[in-house]
Amino acid sequence: MDIKSLEKLELNKILTSVAEYASLGGGKRLILECLPSSDIAEVRRRLTLTRECDALLYTYGIGKIEQFGEMGDILIRAQKRSVLSCGELLNVAGLLRSVRVAFTSVNKISDDNIKLVRSITANLYFDRGLEEDISEKIVNSETVSDRASDKLYSIRSKIKSLNERIREKLSEYVSGKNADFLQDSIVTIRNDRYVIPVKAEHKSHVKGFIHDRSKTGATFFIEPEYVLELNNELIALTIDEREEVEAILKSLSVRVGALSNELQRDIEILSELDSCLSMAEFGYAHKCTEPNVNNRGYINIIKGRHPLIEKDRVVPVSLELGAGYNFLLLSGANTGGKTVTLKMCGLFCLMAACGLFIPAVEGSSVAVFDDVFCDIGDSQSIEESLSTFSSHVENIIKICNKVQSNSLVLIDELGGGTNPDEGQALAKAVVKKLLDTGCKGIVTTHFTPLKEFAYSVNGIENASMEFDATTLKPLYSIKIGLPGASNALAIARRLGMDEKILSDATNYLSEGARNFENVVRRAEESRIEAEYKLAEAESLKRQWQEKVNEVNGLIDSLNREREKITRTARSESRRIINERTEKAEQLLAEIEEIFHKRDISESDLIRARTLKNKLSDAAYIDDGGSKKINEYKPATPENIKSGVRVFIKPMETIGEVVSFNKSKGEAEVQCGSIKMHLKLKDLQVTGEEPKQTPKIKVVKNIPADRPVLEINVLGLTVGEALYEVDNFIDRAVTDNLAEIKIIHGVGTGKLRAAIWEHLKRHKNVDELRLGKYGEGETGVTFVKLK
């Protein structure tokens, strides 16, 4: 890759921004030294690593690589059996911990898509035993723990005890009768031995070894002879301590040296992972997406945003190149975004080639090129005595000499900086040369002849940066197929240039230039207006289509619901008919069996009559699915009174008003054997005359041909009720009934409890149950007879 072109496209600034996310110095160096690859397999590998790291960070929430101290030549010295310091060993422990955390974090994730990172971390080596030994035996960068070995613990315990003994003896001397000989009442250390400060004039009164003298000569630091042996013992213990610490550090260093090659490889792997995680973090922070890559020279950037422009100022731009044409000739007004678009296109290709995602909409594509060449900006060189035009020409020469079919060429203002006639002629020739090589590229221009030239040759397409002719402001949108007007005079007018100057400038324009610019401008205005109308029509079409889809959806939903109801109704009807038919056939078979007997007894007739009644109950009555719509009136305090027939809405049944409490707005309604208190809103007046059905508490003298299935004992005492119930059960057994109903009401529950207690011991009773919802509930008891 051409290094100057990389700098012109500002890839180094992107990599510097990415490096700020790195945790390790090695990762930062890899990012800053990264060069775009021209191998599509390698580019796809880099992008896959970034994608997997993005999933690790933002899907599975693993942390970044843990930092550890700079290793320098630590591993090399350890391999040569040098003894490492406490701080260096702690750096090694940090490396081992970072390796272990990275390995376990990645390998605990069971996602099959995390393949490449897992294959890289599989080469990591860590020794948790060594890591823990270093962390336990070394307190900080200067101190080995007392517990690093039993011997060191014993030595330091003795040193501590001996220090206390020496201090105690010297403290006695300092505070005793010889205190007047001392310069200060303190105990200090010289040459690792405890001494006391003695006045110069009294040094002969203190027997001992002189270690030092103050600068003024007024004080001598003397080691009294009675602590001489203790100090000697302390020195000996200190030597033992130093030797034991040295032995501990040497033992750990030897273990590190044995792993130096593996640890060096770990550093390289962690640095690579750190760089990949940093690229994923950069992509997430800048809302980047993974581009599709190809080696066909095809570029399709969808709403791309230049990453070096502030987020609140950048305007997304879409661009396509390499499908039906190899080159774009990009024209339009100044400050319209041509140069930014040119640089963005090249930068996105380079970013992808480094393994970086691009700030564009998902589905964008970039190509992998062997070389990227660009000529952008003012390259004037004072040292080489080159003018702006000369420096551009040198770049163009180099590009034309090196360009190949799989190259990307980006040239800003080709042919500018010199005589326009010669400049546009040179620009045509350069473009023709580039087209002949088959490379891909973008050229920006203001030359009208060059725009006309793009219409006459194959492989290049005119494109323009949109410009609002009314507000004279750029719209930062590319339109393929039409050149753009430069609008230089219009922009000068907006910036406040004198009208006389502008009028003269217009007159100086050639007739062809004026006509071409006017045609281009009118075509651009017409196209913008047509696109606005088209967008408005498309919006209306989408709205109507949404409404049509909504209506069709409702129709489909209603059809499905109707079909579902129909299927359910048919299924339920078949089930009911089948059940009732089967039951009726069973009853008929039993009746036929009775009448096929030669001698029919009274009990046979009773049983046949019972079966006949059951057959009537099992009959299926088809009402044709019709249901009369009621014409009931809402209940009001004026039309509610005792004896009025009402429709109970919650239960969908008819009842009769027993009484009405006007203050509460409640009516007491009798429904069968149940009385309920209901609000007026739950009632409707039917307008029917009340049925004159005498209330029978006890059923007596029942004709033989009309077996009774229930008995009402409301209002009776417990004794009376039990007597009537026993008689009723006897008749039911005689009538060969399977089940009877006893209406005893709710009340206090005393009557119901007495009946249940009595029936549990009755010889003809098999089973008891209370009524279900709609059967009277706790106000009735159903008795199954043996």
Side-chain angles (χ1 to χ4, degrees):
M1 290 283 181
D2 182 61
I3 301 301
K4 286 187 177 180
S5 294
L6 302 187
E7 293 176 357
K8 286 283 186 180
L9 294 173
E10 300 176 300
L11 178 65
N12 57 328
K13 293 183 180 180
I14 298 297
L15 295 177
T16 301
S17 179
V18 175
E20 293 176 0
Y21 294 95
S23 301
L24 307 179
K28 193 182 295 288
R29 283 192 295 274
L30 283 178
I31 294 168
L32 294 175
E33 295 170 1
C34 180
L35 289 175
S37 174
S38 57
D39 182 355
I40 190 167
E42 173 61 18
V43 172
R44 284 173 176 157
R45 176 187 172 276
R46 293 180 180 185
L47 290 172
T48 300
L49 274 174
T50 305
R51 180 175 69 251
E52 291 183 11
C53 287
D54 179 82
L56 291 173
L57 286 172
Y58 303 110
T59 301
Y60 299 105
I62 73 163
K64 296 185 67 178
I65 303 299
E66 285 196 11
Q67 291 181 334
F68 51 87
E70 191 66 35
M71 299 303 293
D73 63 345
I74 291 175
L75 298 178
I76 297 174
R77 289 193 293 108
Q79 193 175 28
K80 294 179 179 179
R81 305 188 71 81
S82 296
V83 178
L84 302 180
S85 67
C86 292
E88 290 170 337
L89 286 169
L90 286 176
N91 286 353
V92 173
L95 168 60
L96 288 168
R97 181 171 52 254
S98 181
V99 172
R100 175 174 55 82
V101 170
F103 180 85
T104 53
S105 297
V106 172
N107 285 276
K108 72 181 180 181
I109 296 170
S110 59
D111 189 348
D112 292 335
N113 293 320
I114 310 296
K115 293 179 180 178
L116 198 51
V117 173
R118 187 177 285 112
S119 68
I120 292 174
T121 56
N123 297 316
L124 289 172
Y125 178 86
F126 60 93
D127 186 337
R128 188 160 190 172
L130 177 57
E131 175 196 336
E132 292 176 349
D133 281 349
I134 295 174
S135 300
E136 291 173 0
K137 292 182 178 182
I138 299 179
V139 177
N140 53 46
S141 60
E142 298 178 353
T143 310
V144 174
S145 171
D146 294 349
R147 300 286 182 179
S149 72
D150 293 339
K151 183 178 180 180
L152 183 61
Y153 181 77
S154 175
I155 293 171
R156 285 184 174 174
S157 297
K158 291 177 181 178
I159 291 174
K160 183 179 180 182
S161 175
L162 193 56
N163 275 322
E164 291 175 355
R165 286 172 57 195
I166 294 173
R167 284 183 175 277
E168 286 177 2
K169 281 190 171 293
L170 291 178
S171 296
E172 291 175 2
Y173 189 93
V174 168
S175 60
K177 60 182 180 179
N178 297 318
D180 293 339
F181 300 153
L182 305 180
Q183 192 73 17
D184 293 300
S185 298
I186 60 171
V187 177
T188 185
I189 294 177
R190 288 291 186 276
N191 301 324
D192 296 329
R193 303 176 75 89
Y194 283 98
V195 297
I196 54 177
V198 180
K199 295 177 182 177
E201 60 270 23
H202 297 301
K203 70 178 187 299
S204 59
H205 294 88
V206 179
K207 294 182 178 181
F209 182 81
I210 298 175
H211 283 274
D212 199 3
R213 184 178 68 176
S214 66
K215 291 183 179 179
T216 61
T219 304
F220 284 82
F221 296 95
I222 301 176
E223 177 186 3
E225 62 180 9
Y226 62 85
V227 295
L228 185 63
E229 289 300 323
L230 293 176
N231 269 332
N232 287 341
E233 185 178 352
L234 181 61
I235 293 297
L237 287 172
T238 304
I239 294 171
D240 291 343
E241 178 194 19
R242 185 166 59 247
E243 290 177 348
E244 181 61 18
V245 167
E246 187 81 6
I248 292 169
L249 295 178
K250 184 176 181 179
S251 173
L252 293 173
S253 299
V254 169
R255 293 170 66 184
V256 172
L259 300 176
S260 59
N261 291 332
E262 289 82 357
L263 294 180
Q264 187 61 49
R265 187 170 65 250
D266 285 346
I267 293 173
E268 294 171 1
I269 293 172
L270 289 181
S271 297
E272 182 183 5
L273 282 177
D274 186 42
S275 66
C276 295
L277 289 167
S278 300
M279 289 184 177
E281 198 168 357
F282 172 86
Y284 182 83
H286 290 78
K287 297 179 179 172
C288 298
T289 62
E290 181 181 2
N292 301 314
V293 293
N294 64 84
N295 55 4
R296 298 177 286 104
Y298 176 67
I299 298 173
N300 182 23
I301 298 171
I302 307 171
K303 294 185 177 179
R305 295 164 281 111
H306 198 292
L308 296 178
I309 301 178
E310 296 177 11
K311 293 180 180 179
D312 57 343
R313 293 180 56 234
V314 66
V315 179
V317 176
S318 297
L319 170 70
E320 187 174 12
L321 176 68
Y325 44 87
N326 290 340
F327 262 81
L328 273 180
L329 184 66
L330 192 57
S331 55
N334 290 312
T335 71
K338 297 189 300 299
T339 303
V340 171
T341 301
L342 191 81
K343 295 174 76 172
M344 180 191 73
C345 179
L347 181 60
F348 279 11
C349 292
L350 296 176
M351 288 174 66
C354 290
L356 285 163
F357 290 179
I358 62 174
V361 171
E362 190 170 353
S364 297
S365 298
V366 294
V368 177
F369 294 101
D370 293 337
D371 287 294
V372 176
F373 300 104
C374 72
D375 181 62
I376 301 172
D378 186 357
S379 302
Q380 185 176 17
S381 173
I382 296 175
E383 292 84 356
E384 298 179 13
S385 301
L386 293 176
S387 67
T388 300
F389 177 74
S390 297
S391 63
H392 281 304
V393 170
E394 282 205 346
N395 283 338
I396 299 301
I397 293 171
K398 182 179 71 173
I399 292 171
C400 290
N401 290 336
K402 292 184 177 182
V403 68
Q404 297 176 353
S405 59
N406 193 34
S407 298
L408 177 66
V409 178
L410 306 168
I411 303 177
D412 191 27
E413 302 294 346
L414 178 59
T418 187
N419 178 279
D421 290 337
E422 293 181 317
Q424 58 89 14
L426 180 62
K428 289 180 184 179
V430 170
V431 169
K432 187 177 184 303
K433 162 66 177 176
L434 295 175
L435 287 173
D436 291 342
T437 64
C439 67
K440 310 295 186 297
I442 302 175
V443 173
T444 68
T445 188
H446 288 288
F447 289 146
T448 297
L450 195 56
K451 301 174 190 178
E452 295 172 343
F453 174 75
Y455 281 121
S456 62
V457 295
N458 295 325
I460 186 169
E461 188 72 43
N462 267 305
S464 61
M465 301 297 298
E466 280 197 290
F467 188 83
D468 191 329
T470 304
T471 61
L472 300 180
K473 290 183 179 180
L475 300 177
Y476 303 104
S477 177
I478 296 177
K479 290 301 175 185
I480 308 296
L482 284 177
S486 295
N487 291 292
L489 300 182
I491 292 173
R493 179 175 286 105
R494 179 171 65 88
L495 295 176
M497 183 169 283
D498 185 84
E499 276 300 324
K500 179 65 171 62
I501 298 175
L502 294 173
S503 177
D504 291 343
T506 303
N507 293 330
Y508 291 143
L509 283 174
S510 66
E511 186 67 24
R514 280 201 301 269
N515 291 339
F516 184 84
E517 288 293 318
N518 289 334
V519 168
V520 169
R521 187 178 298 108
R522 284 197 296 271
E524 190 169 355
E525 291 172 359
S526 299
R527 179 183 54 78
I528 293 174
E529 184 179 0
E531 288 186 352
Y532 173 78
K533 297 290 186 182
L534 179 62
E536 189 176 17
E538 289 291 336
S539 176
L540 290 173
K541 181 181 177 181
R542 282 194 302 272
Q543 292 176 13
W544 280 108
Q545 189 60 50
E546 287 173 1
K547 291 181 179 179
V548 169
N549 291 339
E550 184 179 352
V551 171
N552 289 336
L554 289 173
I555 292 172
D556 291 342
S557 177
L558 290 172
N559 288 335
R560 286 193 299 271
E561 188 66 24
R562 181 180 64 184
E563 183 63 25
K564 180 180 176 182
I565 293 170
T566 302
R567 285 197 305 268
T568 303
R570 289 172 180 170
S571 176
E572 185 66 17
S573 299
R574 283 195 298 268
R575 186 188 65 79
I576 293 173
I577 291 171
N578 291 338
E579 285 181 358
R580 291 177 179 264
T581 301
E582 184 180 356
K583 187 174 181 181
E585 288 176 352
Q586 290 176 355
L587 294 173
L588 285 172
E590 291 182 28
I591 293 172
E592 288 178 1
E593 184 181 349
I594 293 172
F595 283 101
H596 284 163
K597 291 181 180 181
R598 291 186 177 181
D599 298 322
I600 300 175
S601 63
E602 183 67 24
S603 62
D604 289 336
L605 292 173
I606 293 172
R607 183 164 173 253
R609 194 160 42 247
T610 302
L611 293 172
K612 176 177 175 291
N613 293 333
K614 288 184 178 180
L615 184 61
S616 299
D617 293 338
Y620 175 72
I621 302 173
D622 185 6
D623 60 0
S626 62
K627 184 176 180 180
K628 183 179 178 181
I629 300 175
N630 70 68
E631 297 179 356
Y632 305 149
K633 297 178 181 178
T636 63
E638 289 73 25
N639 60 12
I640 283 291
K641 58 184 178 180
S642 179
V644 171
R645 300 276 290 175
V646 290
F647 175 71
I648 305 169
K649 289 192 284 185
M651 298 177 65
E652 295 188 351
T653 188
I654 302 296
E656 185 176 320
V657 176
V658 177
S659 63
F660 174 63
N661 188 328
K662 193 170 184 180
S663 60
K664 291 184 178 181
E666 288 183 350
E668 183 180 10
V669 180
Q670 179 83 34
C671 181
S673 60
I674 303 173
K675 287 185 179 179
M676 296 171 285
H677 290 272
L678 300 166
K679 297 290 186 181
L680 291 183
K681 64 183 180 60
D682 294 327
L683 301 175
Q684 290 178 323
V685 176
T686 65
E688 301 175 5
E689 292 296 326
K691 294 182 179 179
Q692 301 298 323
T693 304
K695 184 177 179 182
I696 302 173
K697 289 187 177 180
V698 182
V699 178
K700 298 180 180 180
N701 302 323
I702 301 300
D705 60 340
R706 291 186 61 194
V708 178
L709 303 178
E710 65 181 43
I711 181 172
N712 190 336
V713 295
L714 286 168
L716 300 184
T717 63
V718 171
E720 292 173 342
L722 294 180
Y723 174 78
E724 295 298 336
V725 167
D726 281 342
N727 289 337
F728 184 63
I729 290 174
D730 291 340
R731 290 194 298 273
V733 172
T734 303
D735 291 338
N736 199 27
L737 299 181
E739 187 178 65
I740 61 173
K741 180 169 75 172
I742 302 173
I743 303 171
H744 46 65
V746 179
T748 61
K750 182 178 178 182
L751 181 58
R752 180 188 64 207
I755 292 172
W756 272 63
E757 188 65 30
H758 177 69
L759 293 179
K760 285 178 182 179
R761 300 191 297 271
H762 201 286
K763 63 180 181 178
N764 293 322
V765 174
D766 183 30
E767 190 176 319
L768 300 173
R769 71 173 177 85
L770 291 173
K772 298 178 184 177
Y773 180 80
E775 292 179 339
E777 302 180 27
T778 57
V780 302
T781 295
F782 286 86
V783 182
K784 187 175 180 182
L785 301 176
K786 294 182 179 178

